[in-house]
């Protein structure tokens, strides 16, 4: 194996699982002598870790490949530049990418990037043959191992991949494959290793994370697979881990045990992302979400009952085929009722191969634009109100890095809000109490009251 120093540039699009996957690609490539670089200029290997969720996300990949072309030409004289497309566009389009963009040397799907070293060698030998978009999740995690390079104090950990729900707007079941959960032992091994490297907060990732059903730890196999609630309680026992989050959940997979975990596990942060997509029962049915608006509202009410300080975030789609003004108003009504701390909202985007793309009653683009603006105005107002409601409260803040101003640190509240406060640098990596004095749409500022406890 050659260990000459080489430069690696990875550009990550889309969701947090792609951020995790990009980190793991770096782990796989480090032993080959690749060192991360912040820019593609002069890089020996460029990886675009792509997203296929909406049309715009997929298009960005092709424009980026256009920008890389001259850089690859320039690098031809000094060792050359290998260009790889990874992630969900790679999975969805496969060999088509190399036809449409000959600048690409290799294509690797989300389940096979542990084979990057072989694929790179193959691409160097014979262009056009380096393609791997198989689904073999188990092999991937076995090969990746638990040794990760870490930066900072917070890390993502994939615990579940894939989706069997087949919402009619969504490409994920096609790009990430069937639902699959990692065994508990493997997850715990990875988190213990992260804690030993200073990680204080873990976010458990899965396309359908609350459908998690991983093999129980050795010695407890007889219990059958564990649900997410059990996993969360087990992770809370790992020394050094102070905060636990998980994302993304589906309303259909909320069980009472997981709701109870919010009540009995203080390390599980009181901030929960539960997408609903629409407030109209007719649209929820057309989306194949398998629940009605009232079910979602009942789950939120139950969560607030067991954990009164919980805040909710979500995802909404406007302009799904067949959405009328009345359906959209039902979405606005649901948003008023939930009162989100934060919520992502999107115009419906037709995705090739999904049932929604073939529906005849597509909504006019101008109507989508209008509805999105109205929804976002309401969501922005809710987010500002939520942040403002923090003023006067004392929040535990996990300090992560120096702030923009001298003497200031930047950290995160339990609700993932950015918090700035004057604090000594020794508090980086620790949780301290901050009294909140100011709030805007995207950040809070406050006064250090004192270290809550050592983070370890
Ligand atoms: N069009 C618009 N938004 C979409 N999402 C997923 N697929 C589409 C689509 N075709 C949104 C959903 C999902 C989030 C990750 O992206 O709101 O929860
Ligand atoms: Fe897509 Fe629906 Fe699966 Fe979420 S639950 S990944 S929106 S198909």
């Amino acid at each position: 194996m050659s260990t000459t120093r080489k430069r690696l540039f990875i550009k990550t699009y889309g969701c947090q699982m792609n951020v995790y996957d990009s980190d793991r690609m770096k782990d796989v490539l480090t032993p080959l002598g690749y060192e991360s670089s912040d820019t593609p200029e002069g890089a020996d290997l460029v990886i675009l870790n792509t997203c296929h969720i909406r049309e715009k996300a997929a298009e960005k990949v092709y424009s980026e490949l256009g920008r890389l072309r001259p850089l690859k030409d320039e690098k031809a004289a000094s060792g050359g530049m290998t260009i790889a497309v990874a992630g969900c566009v790679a999975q969805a389009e496969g060999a088509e990418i190399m036809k449409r963009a000959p600048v690409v040397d290799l294509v690797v799907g989300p389940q096979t990037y542990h084979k990057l070293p072989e694929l790179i060698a193959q691409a160097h030998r014979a262009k056009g043959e380096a393609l791997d978009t198989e689904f073999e999740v188990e092999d991937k995690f076995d090969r990746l191992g638990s040794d990760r390079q870490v930066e900072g104090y917070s890390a993502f950990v994939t615990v579940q991949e894939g989706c069997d729900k087949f919402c009619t707007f969504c490409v994920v079941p096609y790009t990430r494959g069937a639902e699959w959960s990692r065994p508990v032992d493997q997850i715990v091994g990875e988190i213990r290793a992260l804690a030993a490297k200073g990680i204080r907060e873990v976010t458990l990732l899965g396309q359908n994370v609350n459908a998690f059903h991983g093999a129980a730890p050795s010695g407890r196999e007889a219990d059958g697979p564990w649900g997410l609630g059990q996993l969360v309680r087990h992770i809370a026992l790992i020394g050094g881990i102070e905060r636990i989050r998980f994302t993304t959940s589906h309303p259909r997979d909320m069980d009472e045990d997981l709701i109870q975990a919010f009540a009995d596990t203080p390390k599980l942060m009181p901030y929960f992302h539960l997408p609903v997509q629409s407030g109209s029962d007719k649209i929820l049915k057309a989306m194949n979400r398998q629940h009605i608006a009232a079910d979602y509202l009942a789950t939120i009410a139950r969560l607030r009952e067991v954990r009164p300080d919980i805040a909710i975030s979500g995802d909404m789609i406007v302009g799904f085929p067949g959405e009328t003004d009345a359906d959209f108003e039902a979405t606005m009504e649901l948003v008023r009722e939930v009162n989100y701390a934060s919520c992502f909202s999107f115009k419906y985007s037709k995705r090739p191969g999904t049932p929604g793309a073939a529906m005849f009653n597509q909504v006019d683009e101008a109507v989508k634009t209008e509805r999105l603006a109205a929804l976002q105005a309401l969501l922005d107002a809710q987010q500002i109100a939520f942040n403002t409601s923090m003023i006067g409260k004392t929040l535990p803040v996990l300090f992560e890095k120096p702030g923009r101003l001298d003497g200031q640190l930047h950290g995160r509240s339990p609700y993932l809000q950015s918090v700035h406060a004057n604090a000594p640098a020794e508090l980086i990596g620790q949780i301290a109490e901050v009294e909140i004095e100011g709030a805007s749409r995207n950040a809070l500022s406050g006064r250090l009251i004192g270290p809550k406890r050592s983070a370890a």
Side-chain angles (χ1 to χ4, degrees):
M1 195 183 287
S2 149
T3 49
T4 346
R5 285 177 53 187
K6 286 169 266 187
R7 288 184 47 211
L8 163 68
F9 173 72
I10 305 190
K11 182 158 182 168
T12 307
Y13 300 82
C15 66
Q16 289 143 323
M17 198 174 288
N18 268 9
V19 175
Y20 174 84
D21 289 345
S22 291
D23 283 350
R24 306 295 338 240
M25 287 190 235
K26 281 181 206 160
D27 293 339
V28 168
L29 294 168
T30 305
L32 271 74
Y34 285 99
E35 283 174 8
S36 282
S37 144
D38 294 335
T39 55
E41 283 82 12
D44 298 280
L45 174 61
V46 172
I47 301 177
L48 304 184
N49 193 10
T50 61
C51 172
H52 203 237
I53 198 96
R54 284 170 294 273
E55 197 178 357
K56 273 197 187 137
E59 275 169 8
K60 277 188 203 157
V61 177
Y62 287 101
S63 14
E64 185 65 27
L65 286 170
R67 279 192 291 274
L68 287 173
R69 231 202 128 75
L71 299 183
K72 182 170 174 135
D73 290 345
E74 268 169 42
K75 188 80 181 23
S78 56
M81 176 187 280
T82 304
I83 298 182
V85 176
C88 291
V89 174
Q91 189 63 44
E93 302 193 1
E96 281 303 306
I97 296 177
M98 288 199 255
K99 279 199 200 130
R100 193 171 150 187
V103 72
V104 174
D105 299 287
L106 72 100
V107 174
V108 60
Q111 304 311 349
T112 42
Y113 60 75
H114 55 287
K115 295 189 195 158
L116 266 170
E118 290 111 282
L119 287 164
I120 292 166
Q122 209 174 318
H124 289 167
R125 281 197 304 272
K127 182 171 157 71
E129 283 178 19
L131 168 85
D132 200 334
T133 52
E134 294 301 310
F135 285 111
E136 333 164 35
V137 188
E138 260 169 276
D139 187 33
K140 174 176 81 176
F141 285 109
D142 286 345
R143 290 258 312 258
L144 287 171
S146 60
D147 189 27
R148 294 176 52 182
Q149 304 168 56
V150 300
E151 262 173 54
Y153 304 93
S154 180
F156 295 130
V157 176
T158 293
V159 302
Q160 178 281 334
E161 278 199 60
C163 179
D164 295 336
K165 296 281 186 308
F166 291 93
C167 297
T168 53
F169 52 81
C170 187
V171 285
V172 166
Y174 312 96
T175 57
R176 291 275 178 171
E179 244 170 59
W180 181 84
S181 300
R182 288 177 78 184
V184 173
D185 276 344
Q186 202 188 57
I187 296 165
V188 168
E190 187 170 326
I191 297 178
R192 282 218 181 95
L194 289 171
K197 290 186 174 177
I199 292 295
R200 296 289 163 258
E201 173 180 277
V202 285
T203 302
L204 312 178
L205 299 180
Q207 271 91 28
N208 242 291
V209 74
N210 59 340
F212 174 83
H213 54 281
S218 28
R220 299 197 220 172
E221 289 95 340
D223 306 352
W226 277 16
L228 189 62
Q230 285 164 292
L231 178 68
V232 162
R233 289 187 194 96
H234 197 59
I235 292 170
L237 301 174
I238 298 177
I241 299 300
E242 296 286 333
R243 289 180 164 189
I244 305 168
R245 307 175 185 277
F246 58 83
T247 195
T248 293
S249 299
H250 191 292
R252 268 298 292 250
D253 292 320
M254 285 309 294
D255 62 16
E256 185 58 25
D257 186 57
L258 186 55
I259 293 176
Q260 279 307 320
F262 277 103
D264 60 39
T265 312
K267 288 183 183 178
L268 180 58
M269 290 293 98
Y271 184 56
F272 184 39
H273 185 59
L274 191 61
V276 63
Q277 317 296 356
S278 169
S280 151
D281 288 344
K282 182 190 97 190
I283 296 299
L284 287 170
K285 188 156 198 286
M287 287 175 163
N288 189 33
R289 292 288 291 177
Q290 304 169 46
H291 68 84
I292 56 171
D295 298 329
Y296 178 82
L297 292 171
T299 301
I300 303 289
R302 179 87 192 107
L303 284 160
R304 286 181 167 152
E305 202 179 311
V306 306
R307 185 88 178 244
D309 62 342
I310 203 163
I312 305 297
S313 83
D315 290 343
M316 290 290 176
I317 295 177
V318 300
F320 185 79
E323 187 187 74
T324 61
D325 284 344
D327 294 318
F328 175 63
E329 183 43 38
T331 295
M332 294 291 275
E333 197 42 46
L334 179 140
V335 169
R336 282 183 212 109
E337 185 148 352
V338 173
N339 194 13
Y340 285 97
S342 117
C343 184
F344 298 102
S345 49
F346 312 98
K347 285 194 235 180
Y348 170 68
S349 162
K350 267 165 95 170
R351 305 310 294 125
T354 59
M359 290 180 186
F360 65 93
N361 43 2
Q362 300 290 328
V363 173
D364 218 57
E365 211 47 40
V367 174
K368 287 187 203 170
T369 306
E370 216 173 276
R371 288 180 186 163
L372 187 67
L375 175 59
Q376 287 186 340
L378 175 59
L379 291 170
D380 277 357
Q382 291 187 345
Q383 184 166 337
I384 292 167
F386 177 71
N387 286 352
T388 308
S389 76
M390 298 290 132
I391 294 175
K393 289 194 176 136
T394 299
L395 295 179
V397 172
L398 172 56
F399 283 116
E400 291 169 334
K401 56 184 182 194
R404 258 173 298 141
L405 305 179
D406 246 12
Q408 226 184 30
L409 296 185
H410 172 270
R412 296 271 172 189
S413 78
Y415 305 108
L416 273 183
Q417 294 145 308
S418 284
V419 183
H420 299 275
N422 284 327
E426 305 90 80
L427 283 184
I428 293 180
Q430 304 215 20
I431 296 173
E433 300 284 354
V434 174
E435 187 186 319
I436 304 303
E437 294 173 323
S440 67
R441 184 177 170 283
N442 294 317
L444 304 177
S445 58
R447 188 168 64 88
L448 183 71
I449 300 289
K452 188 177 165 216
R453 56 192 164 197
S454 108

